[in-house]
Amino acid sequence: MRQPDTSALRERLANYTPEQELEQDKQELEGLLLEVNCQIAELRNLHRK
């Protein structure tokens, strides 16, 4: 099992604000959604061939 980067976690905790955390979560979810949408498009293209 991979050990977490504790220095990065400590820095993140020191700079924590709920608004910033929410914005980071939104950006991460938007990126994941874009990834999933691209994968769906690729699957549809494969199905059409």
Side-chain angles (χ1 to χ4, degrees), residues 8-39:
L9 291 171
R10 275 196 289 275
E11 182 180 340
R12 186 173 173 186
L13 182 59
N15 298 321
Y16 175 81
T17 64
E19 296 82 13
Q20 185 180 30
E21 194 75 13
L22 181 60
E23 187 58 37
Q24 287 176 347
D25 288 347
K26 282 182 182 179
Q27 288 176 2
E28 183 179 347
L29 287 173
E30 287 173 0
L32 291 171
L33 184 58
L34 182 60
E35 238 180 90
V36 168
N37 284 336
C38 288
Q39 290 176 359

Side-chain angles (χ1 to χ4, degrees), residues 35-49:
E35 238 180 90
V36 168
N37 284 336
C38 288
Q39 290 176 359
I40 289 171
E42 287 177 20
L43 288 171
R44 286 183 179 154
N45 287 338
L46 286 174
H47 185 312
R48 291 181 187 152
K49 290 181 180 182

